[in-house]
Amino acid sequence: MAQNLFEELQQKKERLATLAAKAREFGWIDESREKEIQEKLNNDVLTIGVIGQMKCGKSTFLNAFVFEDDVLPSATTPMTAALSVITYGEEKKIVAEFYTQDEWAEQKMQAARSIDEVAGNTLEESKIKAAKELVEKSVKLGGTLDSYLGKTQEDSFENLIEYVGADGKYISITKSVTIYYPKDYLKGVEIVDTPGFNDPIVSREERTKAFLKKADVVLLMLYAGRPFDATDRDILFKNVGQCGTGRVLIGINKYDIPYENGEDETAIKDYVKEQLRRACKECGDNLMMEILQNTEPIPLSAEMALLSELPMNKVMGHEAYAFAWKRACENFEISGQQQMREKSHINNLIAAIKDVVEKEKNEILFRKPLNAIIAAGNKKKTDTEKDIQECTMLINTLNKPDDELEEKQENLRKANRRLSKKIDALGDDIESAMRDLVRRGRNQLEDDVESACRKMDNIIDSLGRFSSPKKIQPQLDREVQTLISRTLKRDTEDYGRQAKSVVCGHITDSLSEVEDVLMRYVEAFNSREFVHAVEKEIKVDIEDNGMFQYDDDTWNSIGGLMANIFRHGKQVREMHEQVNEIRKEDVAKFLDTVFARKDEIISGVRNRIIEELVSPLQAKIDYIVENKNKREEELQSYQQKLDDLQKVKASIDEQLQTIGNIKE
């Protein structure tokens, strides 16, 4: 069986952990840095949210994608499924969380409502139906029901159906189920089956949305027999769009059924794409339009994928599986499990998930720590080469006559003064560029907010005299989410990129002048190689240490205020006042955090050139001039040091080769 996505992720983590351990062994990083990398690897979680209607084949898909076996039971009845989380455990078990007393009371109150009062609102209708169904099922618990409320219950894996099955004993009061499964590739992974958009319990629906907000991938599964109907549309536009997620994939499951009836899979995919385009246009939802514009729906058959994974004796010994196998073989002219896998098209969906995961995870979890480790090794090599240059230069210096020594001493003083002035000028140039960017950025962000607020004011003004403010709530929520998750975020990121580009340009220009000074005043020293190494180190710091990126805490505080601004709005006047609260918010705080660390750059340049190179050279030359009688002793000392440094450099070259082999 081919290696799956989760195994690849786990192996990447293990490889990076090995690299970090080797880097510490080589002295490239210290214990705290290794521990920091290890903790991030251990604590980081890959979250995949799977959403969709009942009977769209989510359970079968999860069996094929996650377990590669028929582990999960078939879906429960519509509207009653609990939120389920699949993750790693040393042994198979489940932990169920039950409703609290207040949540159960809320559910009973929802069940008492009449569907007629929400006629036409499909989501509200489904919530009332769900509540009625669950209250009816609760009779199975009889007088023991209250004893479970507000508690969690651990149970054996074999009893899973009692919590998620249509006729399960605890289905009526189960809020969520965590499934622990002993597959190493599930370490650091959670697959979330999120059916609860029709949930009669607000807190559980909010938990579903919270999972989707943090998900690396959100997969909407459609049923090919009726792809993207009104319920699918509600799930996508009325719920996912308000979660702030920007990563949505769409699978069209059971494509083999319409295919059997002569429908072309390309036509099925094109139909869904057209329905998505129309829905975006009709809703006027720019946020979802942007999320979905590059999303390519993927037809697949989760059942065929599962059949390709199960042992053939299990397939042929199961009446439903045997029938499905025979039908698929006839329809697609399949002769074996490998062809069954190919025709299922599940690999296309897994590849799409993998692509998103790699973009999300590689940047933060893998690329940055890996670059930092490699950079630490390269810096150690560069520092050693610099020490070799200095040592060679000092040996040459010790062999010079007195008058040349004094000239060299004066040259280093001149170099120090001139380099200090050039670094000060670099600081002034960067400061000026930042002031200009902050001014333009502030104006841009304030214009973004004003434009969004005008749209919200217009939405509020369009409310009829006798209409409920609840009618426009989704539109206002969408405008706020678009402002927070798209407009402000992207403009802030754009100014961060501009700042990075401008600063790197100034650094390149300034270091070119630094190189000229070093070449003129510091003889027998490879100025070009040294300056290029310094430039590379500084730019790696800028990239990998998050300079010129907005601060998440500031973003979340402002974004949280805006996202909740309309929660209690009831009257038109109050809503306009709340829009004005958004206008008053100082969105330029984003820019303050983006540019807050610019002084570190100047400090880094000064340290590398003045404090670590020129000043120590000055001190050594001063010592040599003042202690002429110790020249022979100093000469022998530096010659021994040079020999030792050459050995260190050879060792570092071997270490870099070792790290390179592990990296591959």
Side-chain angles (χ1 to χ4, degrees):
M1 184 182 66
Q3 185 183 59
N4 69 26
L5 168 64
F6 309 120
E7 287 173 326
E8 288 183 23
L9 184 68
Q10 190 61 31
Q11 286 185 6
K12 277 187 175 182
K13 288 184 176 183
E14 290 171 359
R15 194 157 54 243
L16 185 56
T18 302
L19 282 169
K22 275 291 179 187
R24 184 193 167 198
E25 178 187 326
F26 295 154
W28 296 7
I29 60 176
D30 59 20
E31 182 180 1
S32 64
R33 180 64 173 131
E34 182 197 6
K35 187 177 179 182
E36 179 185 327
I37 292 172
Q38 191 66 259
E39 285 179 350
K40 184 159 185 63
L41 289 171
N42 292 337
N43 297 332
D44 184 82
V45 176
L46 167 65
T47 302
I48 299 176
V50 183
I51 61 176
Q53 297 187 54
M54 289 297 174
K55 307 302 182 185
C56 69
K58 286 187 299 176
S59 296
T60 306
F61 168 72
L62 290 170
N63 280 335
F65 178 51
V66 182
F67 298 107
E68 298 161 344
D69 196 359
D70 56 349
V71 168
L72 296 176
S74 298
T76 63
T77 59
M79 302 173 290
T80 61
L83 184 145
S84 301
V85 180
I86 304 165
T87 190
Y88 172 79
E90 292 186 0
E91 58 183 29
K92 293 181 186 179
K93 68 176 182 180
I94 60 174
V95 175
E97 180 184 358
F98 298 126
Y99 289 126
T100 65
Q101 293 279 356
D102 289 343
E103 287 168 340
W104 183 247
E106 180 187 340
Q107 183 149 272
K108 289 197 293 185
M109 186 169 60
Q110 187 82 276
R113 295 173 66 193
S114 169
I115 292 178
D116 294 338
E117 68 181 79
V118 294
N121 187 325
T122 55
L123 280 176
E124 286 301 310
E125 286 180 0
S126 67
K127 287 183 179 184
I128 293 174
K129 290 177 183 177
K132 291 179 181 294
E133 186 174 344
L134 290 177
V135 169
E136 288 174 6
K137 289 178 180 292
S138 69
V139 297
K140 291 183 180 181
L141 292 169
T144 65
L145 187 150
D146 286 346
S147 66
Y148 293 105
L149 297 178
K151 297 178 181 178
T152 59
Q153 180 164 291
E154 183 176 322
D155 207 337
S156 66
F157 184 81
E158 289 70 24
N159 291 331
L160 176 63
I161 198 166
E162 296 292 347
Y163 301 86
V164 301
D167 297 316
K169 178 179 178 180
Y170 304 103
I171 184 66
S172 61
I173 59 169
T174 299
K175 184 174 182 176
S176 66
V177 177
T178 301
I179 302 169
Y180 295 93
Y181 204 73
K183 288 282 189 182
D184 284 344
Y185 60 68
L186 286 175
K187 290 178 179 178
V189 174
E190 58 183 13
I191 316 294
V192 187
D193 185 1
T194 57
F197 285 123
N198 55 346
D199 207 308
I201 301 298
V202 174
S203 62
R204 193 167 76 169
E205 185 170 326
E206 289 302 315
R207 180 179 292 185
T208 295
K209 291 180 180 179
F211 267 115
L212 294 185
K213 282 183 181 179
K214 72 171 185 174
D216 297 285
V217 185
V218 172
L219 171 62
L220 171 62
M221 193 70 75
L222 308 178
Y223 166 46
R226 53 171 197 283
F228 207 69
D229 62 13
T231 303
D232 293 324
R233 178 171 169 159
D234 278 348
I235 289 173
L236 189 58
F237 284 87
K238 291 187 179 179
N239 292 282
V240 175
Q242 294 177 22
C243 290
T245 186
R247 304 160 299 276
V248 178
L249 298 178
I250 297 177
I252 310 171
N253 195 21
K254 305 185 183 182
Y255 92 97
D256 51 312
I257 296 175
Y259 183 91
E260 183 180 4
N261 298 325
E263 292 187 39
D264 181 72
E265 62 184 273
T266 301
I268 297 170
K269 181 170 67 174
D270 289 344
Y271 171 81
V272 172
K273 288 173 71 174
E274 177 60 19
Q275 292 303 308
L276 286 168
R277 187 190 67 78
R278 287 186 181 181
C280 287
K281 187 175 180 181
E282 289 170 9
C283 290
D285 192 332
N286 294 330
L287 177 61
M288 287 307 300
M289 192 179 300
E290 193 172 327
I291 290 172
L292 296 171
Q293 65 180 352
N294 296 319
T295 298
E296 190 77 9
I298 299 172
L300 74 148
S301 170
E303 182 178 57
M304 290 170 63
L306 182 59
L307 292 174
S308 74
E309 299 285 355
L310 296 174
M312 281 306 300
N313 62 342
K314 187 171 184 177
V315 172
M316 303 315 295
H318 188 288
E319 184 178 353
Y321 287 159
F323 176 79
W325 175 270
K326 182 179 178 182
R327 187 186 67 192
C329 287
E330 290 175 354
N331 290 337
F332 295 96
E333 299 180 354
I334 291 170
S335 60
Q337 285 187 295
Q338 183 175 345
Q339 283 186 305
M340 184 71 73
R341 178 80 177 187
E342 291 170 2
K343 292 293 184 180
S344 76
H345 295 336
I346 195 171
N347 288 340
N348 296 338
L349 183 55
I350 292 173
I353 294 172
K354 182 178 178 180
D355 184 57
V356 176
V357 167
E358 287 183 341
K359 287 178 181 175
E360 291 294 314
K361 292 295 178 189
N362 279 2
E363 176 69 18
I364 296 172
L365 186 61
F366 298 118
R367 191 181 69 79
K368 287 186 177 180
L370 178 59
N371 282 356
I373 289 170
I374 301 299
N378 286 332
K379 185 177 186 307
K380 190 168 184 180
K381 180 180 178 179
T382 300
D383 288 346
T384 302
E385 289 172 343
K386 185 188 75 173
D387 289 343
I388 289 172
Q389 285 188 39
E390 289 180 16
C391 205
T392 302
M393 185 182 66
L394 287 167
I395 289 171
N396 292 335
T397 299
L398 285 163
N399 286 317
K400 289 182 180 295
D402 292 348
D403 57 339
E404 290 186 23
L405 273 177
E406 290 171 359
E407 182 182 353
K408 190 174 184 67
Q409 188 179 36
E410 180 57 30
N411 282 340
L412 283 172
R413 288 172 183 163
K414 288 178 181 177
N416 198 325
R417 289 194 298 270
R418 296 192 180 190
L419 290 171
S420 293
K421 287 180 180 179
K422 291 191 178 298
I423 294 169
D424 288 342
L426 172 62
D428 292 340
D429 289 342
I430 291 177
E431 183 67 33
S432 176
M434 292 301 99
R435 280 199 300 269
D436 181 59
L437 279 171
V438 167
R439 177 184 57 77
R440 290 192 285 115
R442 175 181 288 275
N443 291 340
Q444 179 66 56
L445 297 185
E446 288 175 352
D447 287 347
D448 290 341
V449 172
E450 180 57 34
S451 175
C453 287
R454 281 199 299 269
K455 289 180 184 178
M456 287 184 270
D457 281 332
N458 289 336
I459 292 169
I460 295 167
D461 288 336
S462 70
L463 188 67
R465 180 180 298 178
F466 301 107
S467 299
S468 168
K470 289 183 179 179
K471 180 181 178 182
I472 61 173
Q473 189 75 44
Q475 293 174 268
L476 295 172
D477 288 341
R478 278 197 297 272
E479 289 298 335
V480 172
Q481 278 297 337
T482 300
L483 176 63
I484 297 168
S485 302
R486 287 291 177 272
T487 312
L488 290 177
K489 186 175 182 181
R490 291 197 170 177
D491 281 347
T492 303
E493 288 173 341
D494 181 56
Y495 277 98
R497 283 191 293 270
Q498 289 184 50
K500 191 186 300 182
S501 176
V502 168
V503 167
C504 287
H506 282 304
I507 288 171
T508 298
D509 293 342
S510 179
L511 288 180
S512 177
E513 296 175 359
V514 165
E515 182 182 333
D516 291 340
V517 173
L518 290 174
M519 288 179 68
R520 181 175 179 182
Y521 292 107
V522 184
E523 63 181 62
F525 183 76
N526 191 332
S527 303
R528 176 163 298 178
E529 189 174 306
F530 170 73
V531 166
H532 286 183
V534 168
E535 182 176 0
K536 185 177 179 181
E537 286 175 29
I538 291 168
K539 290 182 178 179
V540 166
D541 285 347
I542 289 172
E543 186 67 34
D544 288 349
N545 292 339
M547 294 183 187
F548 305 119
Q549 293 179 8
Y550 61 82
D551 175 71
D552 283 339
D553 291 338
T554 303
W555 185 270
N556 291 337
S557 66
I558 297 176
L561 169 68
M562 291 185 180
N564 296 323
I565 196 75
F566 293 112
R567 181 157 292 186
H568 303 294
K570 295 180 180 179
Q571 303 301 323
V572 168
R573 180 181 58 79
E574 291 173 320
M575 285 181 150
H576 280 307
E577 288 175 356
Q578 290 169 326
V579 170
N580 285 330
E581 288 299 314
I582 291 180
R583 281 190 173 94
K584 294 175 186 176
E585 188 61 37
D586 182 13
V587 291
K589 288 178 184 176
F590 296 143
L591 296 174
D592 292 340
T593 60
V594 167
F595 301 146
R597 299 174 63 189
K598 62 184 184 298
D599 292 340
E600 290 182 32
I601 298 167
I602 305 303
S603 177
V605 173
R606 190 180 303 280
N607 285 338
R608 286 171 172 86
I609 294 171
I610 303 293
E611 304 302 328
E612 296 177 11
L613 175 66
V614 178
S615 293
L617 279 176
Q618 274 188 281
K620 287 169 184 174
I621 295 294
D622 290 344
Y623 178 83
I624 290 170
V625 170
E626 293 168 7
N627 296 272
K628 297 176 183 179
N629 58 330
K630 295 184 179 180
R631 279 197 196 181
E632 191 60 38
E633 182 182 337
E634 290 290 322
L635 192 60
Q636 291 179 4
S637 173
Y638 281 117
Q639 190 61 60
Q640 181 61 54
K641 183 177 179 181
L642 180 61
D643 292 342
D644 293 341
L645 286 169
Q646 296 286 7
K647 292 176 184 177
V648 170
K649 182 179 179 298
S651 175
I652 294 172
D653 286 336
E654 290 180 7
Q655 292 170 358
L656 284 168
Q657 183 63 49
T658 300
I659 291 292
N661 292 338
I662 298 172
K663 178 185 171 186
E664 295 301 321

